[in-house]
Structures are given as C-alpha cells and as structure tokens.
Amino acid sequence: MLQAKMIVYSSKSSKGTLFPVQSMLVFFIALFGLYACYFSFTQIALENEEEMNGAEERTNVLCKRPSEIPYDQMQYVHFPRPMSYDRGECACTPVRFFVIISMQRSGSGWFETLLNSHPNVSSNGEIFSVRERREDIASILWTLDKLYDLDWRTSAAKNECTAAFGLKWMLNQGLMDYPDEIVDYLIKKGVMVIFLFRRNTLRRLVSVLANDHDKKEKQLNGTHKAHVHSQEEAEILARFKPEVGVSSLIPSMRSAEQSMDACLRRFRATRHMILYYEDLIRDNNALSRVQEFLGLPVRRLSSRHVKIHTSPLPDLVDNWEDVRRTLKPTEFARFLDG
C-alpha cells in the first residue's frame, strides 16, 4: 500500500516538473521566431537599399552630361527621375527645362503648338490659369517642382524621348506677384526662359477686345474659341469689329509696354531669349534659333492654328478714324500701319 502511494506520488511529481520545461521550450521557440523575422526584415531592407543605391549609382555612372555641351550650360541639362513612372530607355536622355513667359493675345498659343509639334518637346500650357496653383508662393513652387520632376500628367507627352519640358506662363497669372522668389527658383532649378511679346500693342488690344466679345457671344455654335483650326471659323470671328475706347487707349498701350519692360527687367538674371510675335511671322530662322536655344535637333515645326485677324487695322476697328486721330500725335503712331 505504501509502495502504491509512493508510486502515485512520484507520478504526480514527474508530471508537475514537465510543465515549466514545456513553457520554457515554447518561449525559446517564440524567441527564435522573432529573431528569424527580425533578421529577414533587416535583410530585405538592406537588399532594397542596396538596389536603390545601385540604381542611383548606375544612373549617375551612365547618365553623364554630353561632352558637346559647353561648361556654362551644364546647369541647364537634367536627368529627371519621376516618381510616378519609369523613363526607361529615356532615363539618360538629357532634358532642358523651359518656361514661355508672355501676355494674352501675343501669339503664345500658336507658338506653343509649334513647339509641341517637335517630337522631343512637351509644353504643358497655362498651368497657372488655375487660381489654386498660384494663391501663394508656396503653391507656385510646389506646382513647379511637380512639373519639372516630370510627374505632371500631360496631354503633351510624346512617344519619343522628351528633351525639352516646360509650360506657358502669363504675366497676370501670379508671375509678377513674386518675381524675386520665382527668379531665384528658375536659376537654381536650371530653367531657361523664352519671352514672347508683341511689339504692336494696338493689334494686341484689338485681339483682346475681339476675344472678350466672343467669350460673351460664343459665335461658333455657342462655343467660345480663343484659337481656331479652320479658315471658316476664322472668318466668322473676324467679322466682329470692336469699338476701341479712345479715352483709355493710350494708357492701355502704355500699361502693356510697361508690363513687358518690368518683366524683362526683373527676369534679366535668368538664361533667356527674347522673341516677338512679329519676328516669328516674318523671320524664317526664328524657330530654328528657339530649337537651338533649347538644345534640340532642328526640325520643321507646324501648327493647325489659323490666324483670325489678317486684314489691315482700318478694316478691323469699328471707330478707326477716332483711333487714328488719337494715336497720330503720339509715340504709338508707328503702330497705325502695322
């Protein structure tokens, strides 16, 4: 009996000592599992970092700036690496950043379509026509960064590798509100500037008045068009002859010239070229010089835009005699025959 009791006791004791052993075994297994997970995650992170560093190193090694580019232009040659997509075979195609600075009704829409007909150019229109993008300098710089990082969704994208990328910016779209900050950004970012203005401010004013009229009347089947692609549409819009307010005529023309002069003065520190609409019309080599300025292979450029106002000024203004008498004794008389 005593022996039986001792056996029972012994069996209970041995069972009791197994419990802490099993607990310790489970603990060590769990600890090993945590260590294995930590080691795996660390290894993956290191591999990813090595891949990123390797890719960056390969880009830096392979994407050398072409030797034919002069040293003083090196800062204007870029190899952007957008976050939203991979440039693939175009990764080492050097890109020049540009901005077209202009005023409404100065030929900038036509000029931009000419540039975009080049297979290596993407110009993205008046992105600052959206007020939220220019409500303060922080919004402007954020928008420019997104654009020049090539993360801007655009209809100007090409099948060919982009070699020049930019936008069109009107003087009244926040540009002259923060000129010092914007100039500083353009210089540091390596952005080249193309100024496009119109010498004949009288013709520009007539075009502005005609365009404002069409915004209200929508003469083309109830649709306003600032630019047209057919001769028929151009002729319809050209029928309207605006009446020019002579009391405000000279102040308006002076204001336009002062705005152009102020812009050229404030942005003179940038790398830039100055174009005038009249030169683009008459000079067959003007577009070649633009392409050379942007470091592009020179191509024949084309546009579907059809010029609206082709007649002499006396045929475009309803009160032409009043306008002529007002401008004749002034420095603006030179525009009467333009």
Side-chain angles (χ1 to χ4, degrees):
M1 186 71 180
L2 179 60
Q3 185 179 0
K5 288 182 178 179
M6 289 180 64
I7 292 171
V8 171
Y9 177 79
S10 298
S11 65
K12 286 181 179 178
S13 297
S14 62
K15 185 177 180 180
T17 57
L18 286 174
F19 180 74
V21 173
Q22 292 175 346
S23 299
M24 291 181 67
L25 183 61
V26 170
F27 172 76
F28 281 116
I29 291 173
L31 186 63
F32 177 78
L34 288 172
Y35 174 78
C37 290
Y38 172 77
F39 180 80
S40 299
F41 285 129
T42 303
Q43 186 68 21
I44 291 171
L46 287 173
E47 289 176 358
N48 289 340
E49 185 176 353
E50 288 175 1
E51 288 180 4
M52 292 176 64
N53 291 338
E56 183 175 357
E57 184 176 351
R58 286 193 297 274
T59 301
N60 290 336
V61 169
L62 296 176
C63 296
K64 296 297 183 182
R65 283 164 172 74
S67 57
E68 67 270 14
I69 297 177
Y71 179 78
D72 63 339
Q73 297 181 25
M74 288 296 191
Q75 71 181 95
Y76 304 102
V77 178
H78 311 279
F79 299 97
R81 298 168 63 189
M83 299 293 293
S84 56
Y85 67 96
D86 186 354
R87 292 188 72 206
E89 64 182 10
C90 298
C92 288
T93 299
V95 180
R96 269 81 164 184
F97 299 152
F98 69 88
V99 54
I100 304 165
I101 293 179
S102 189
M103 300 173 71
Q104 282 82 1
R105 314 313 296 176
S106 296
S108 61
W110 169 62
F111 175 68
E112 188 176 43
T113 60
L114 286 168
L115 278 186
N116 273 329
S117 71
H118 194 291
N120 305 116
V121 177
S122 292
S123 189
N124 298 273
E126 297 177 32
I127 64 174
F128 288 110
S129 62
V130 179
R131 188 173 298 276
E132 289 74 19
R133 295 172 185 162
R134 54 182 167 92
E135 58 185 0
D136 53 37
I137 187 60
S139 303
I140 290 174
L141 298 185
W142 183 90
T143 301
L144 290 173
D145 275 339
K146 189 174 180 65
L147 177 85
Y148 289 125
D149 287 343
L150 269 62
D151 280 313
W152 193 264
R153 293 184 179 182
T154 173
S155 60
K158 304 293 176 60
N159 292 328
E160 302 290 334
C161 292
T162 296
F165 195 87
L167 72 151
K168 185 172 63 160
W169 202 344
M170 301 291 105
L171 298 191
N172 63 352
Q173 293 174 350
L175 182 74
M176 298 304 290
D177 294 336
Y178 312 96
D180 295 337
E181 294 89 341
I182 293 171
V183 167
D184 185 60
Y185 176 92
L186 296 178
I187 293 174
K188 289 181 179 178
K189 195 74 172 180
V191 180
M192 299 186 291
V193 179
I194 301 173
F195 295 105
L196 176 60
F197 295 124
R198 197 166 186 168
R199 287 194 181 93
N200 194 325
T201 51
L202 177 58
R203 269 199 173 265
R204 176 184 171 272
L205 179 60
V206 171
S207 182
V208 168
L209 294 174
N211 188 61
D212 288 346
H213 173 77
D214 188 63
K215 285 180 182 178
K216 298 175 183 177
E217 300 299 325
K218 298 178 174 58
Q219 302 164 91
L220 298 173
N221 298 320
T223 303
H224 167 60
K225 290 188 177 182
H227 309 287
V228 297
H229 297 146
S230 75
Q231 192 63 43
E232 180 184 4
E233 290 178 327
E235 290 173 358
I236 292 173
L237 294 183
R239 290 172 192 164
F240 173 72
K241 298 169 64 172
E243 180 176 325
V244 177
V246 292
S247 61
S248 61
L249 177 57
I250 293 176
S252 295
M253 295 175 70
R254 281 185 179 149
S255 176
E257 290 194 342
Q258 289 168 1
S259 295
M260 290 186 282
D261 291 342
C263 179
L264 293 173
R265 185 174 64 254
R266 299 300 292 269
F267 285 77
R268 67 181 180 273
T270 62
R271 178 175 173 80
H272 64 268
M273 71 178 301
I274 303 173
L275 282 176
Y276 289 95
Y277 173 78
E278 292 82 358
D279 296 336
L280 288 175
I281 295 291
R282 299 172 186 141
D283 186 351
N284 294 329
N285 295 319
L287 290 174
S288 296
R289 291 196 298 273
V290 173
Q291 295 174 76
E292 290 167 357
F293 175 71
L294 295 176
L296 297 166
V298 176
R299 299 283 187 269
R300 182 178 178 83
L301 306 182
S302 62
S303 172
R304 294 178 56 228
H305 281 206
V306 176
K307 186 174 174 60
I308 297 172
H309 299 108
T310 59
S311 301
L313 273 171
D315 298 332
L316 300 178
V317 179
D318 188 55
N319 58 332
W320 174 249
E321 280 304 313
D322 294 336
V323 170
R324 189 188 64 80
R325 282 194 298 269
T326 302
L327 297 182
K328 191 67 175 176
T330 73
E331 69 272 25
F332 299 113
R334 66 187 186 277
F335 295 143
L336 292 172
D337 298 325

